[in-house]
Amino acid sequence: MSLQSDIENLWNRYDDGLTADDATAEDADTLDAFLEALEAGEVRAAEPVSGDWQVNEWVKQGILLNFGLREIESREYGDVAYHDVLPLRETADIGERGSRNTPDGTVIRRGAYVGSDAIMMSPSFVNIGAHIGDGTLVDSCDTVGSCAQIGENVKLGANTLIGGVLEPVEDDPVIVEDGVSLGAGSRVTSGFRVGENSIVGENTLLTPRIPVYDLVEDQVLYGELPPERRAFARYVESSVSDEDLIPGAAYKPAVVATDIETETLEGTEREDVLRE
């Protein structure tokens, strides 16, 4: 049987009432093998297939099983005591791939993948099921949520938030494709997809509930930013602008997407010496 079928069978048993007390040693081995496959990049919550993205629901099930079929334990990390169902991730393989994670606050949870030549600055947090591609920078105060798929050569500016899919429950993970640059303070949530080589301005919120006005193709999009766009936050008139309780006009957030200018590209160039 495959790992996928093992997880799906275990999920069906869990759905029928299996508890952590009832789980067997074989069940625990299946959960451990699943986490190891995530950390090795062998399985992903979503993966590119024929130019599109395929969401693997069984991977999310496997992650949820690691919470539902394990007991909370007292653990230690350095001088810090904490309580969780899983320990933090071992990081020896990350160094072997030429990636760096700085001390005092860089937290990588079990089941997360970090590729080659990546940089994780402290403090930052990468949650279970997340996939960080080769050459990507996770800057200080960044959070990469559960199952988020971050491509290769991506730059996550300081204080960037990438949402997860466990709580609140979302159908699809956030996807940030290759070559994207997210400005400091940006937030990408609720299964939003950022197209490759796009550049997003500081403090921009990308979520399916906020429209993206794509001036390149003259269309309004929800839940996605097309490839090779420069995006930034703006406010547009709201339907409540004529409300007497609100003086003047009321506005709601929006995102405007345009072509990428040469000056913008130059401003987001990465320093290869940091990865040599």
Side-chain angles (χ1 to χ4, degrees):
M1 296 178 67
S2 67
L3 180 59
Q4 178 176 349
S5 61
D6 288 342
I7 290 294
E8 289 173 339
N9 289 337
L10 191 54
W11 178 260
N12 290 333
R13 291 169 53 208
Y14 178 72
D15 209 29
D16 289 336
L18 180 68
T19 67
D21 290 336
D22 301 326
T24 66
E26 184 177 355
D27 296 334
D29 289 342
T30 296
L31 295 177
D32 287 340
F34 171 75
L35 292 174
E36 291 168 1
L38 281 174
E39 293 173 0
E42 297 169 357
V43 300
R44 299 175 60 172
E47 57 190 326
V49 176
S50 302
D52 203 352
W53 283 84
Q54 172 184 294
V55 177
N56 298 319
E57 181 65 20
W58 72 273
V59 174
K60 181 179 175 181
Q61 292 174 347
I63 291 173
L64 292 173
L65 286 170
N66 270 280
F67 292 96
L69 296 179
R70 295 183 187 269
E71 299 285 358
I72 296 175
E73 297 182 28
S74 177
R75 305 178 186 277
E76 291 187 3
Y77 183 78
D79 296 328
V80 177
Y82 68 101
H83 299 81
D84 202 351
V85 295
L86 291 170
L88 297 182
R89 188 194 193 285
E90 296 292 336
T91 57
D93 64 309
I94 294 176
E96 292 169 357
R97 286 196 288 274
S99 291
R100 296 191 280 125
N101 60 306
T102 59
D104 292 333
T106 301
V107 178
I108 309 174
R109 212 169 187 192
R110 279 227 63 186
Y113 172 81
V114 179
S116 301
D117 301 318
I119 299 174
M120 285 191 56
M121 300 300 295
S122 60
S124 58
F125 177 76
V126 178
N127 208 347
I128 185 171
H131 186 101
I132 307 294
D134 296 348
T136 285
L137 168 65
V138 179
D139 211 338
S140 298
C141 301
D142 289 350
T143 296
V144 180
S146 55
C147 298
Q149 304 295 295
I150 311 298
E152 298 182 359
N153 301 315
V154 170
K155 179 182 178 182
L156 303 183
N159 201 30
T160 292
L161 170 65
I162 306 297
V165 301
L166 299 183
E167 285 187 339
V169 177
E170 304 289 350
D171 290 335
D172 297 342
V174 170
I175 296 172
V176 179
E177 296 185 339
D178 296 349
V180 168
S181 177
L182 294 177
S186 296
R187 291 170 289 165
V188 188
T189 70
S190 305
F192 196 97
R193 176 173 165 181
V194 184
E196 63 181 3
N197 299 320
S198 288
I199 299 173
V200 178
E202 297 177 353
N203 298 312
T204 300
L205 172 59
L206 299 175
T207 182
R209 291 172 290 279
I210 291 179
V212 175
Y213 292 89
D214 182 15
L215 303 186
V216 177
E217 296 293 337
D218 195 25
Q219 59 184 340
V220 181
L221 302 172
Y222 288 87
E224 64 174 312
L225 176 66
E228 300 181 350
R229 295 291 194 273
R230 179 174 69 92
F232 46 90
R234 285 293 182 269
Y235 286 87
V236 297
E237 188 171 341
S238 169
S239 60
V240 299
S241 60
D242 57 353
E243 172 58 56
D244 292 338
L245 291 175
I246 303 174
Y251 295 89
K252 61 184 178 181
V255 173
V256 176
T258 66
D259 284 317
I260 298 176
E261 303 167 344
T262 301
E263 293 82 357
T264 305
L265 282 175
E266 292 173 348
T268 59
E269 287 181 355
R270 70 180 221 167
E271 293 286 355
D272 290 332
V273 69
L274 295 175
R275 294 163 179 81
E276 291 180 351

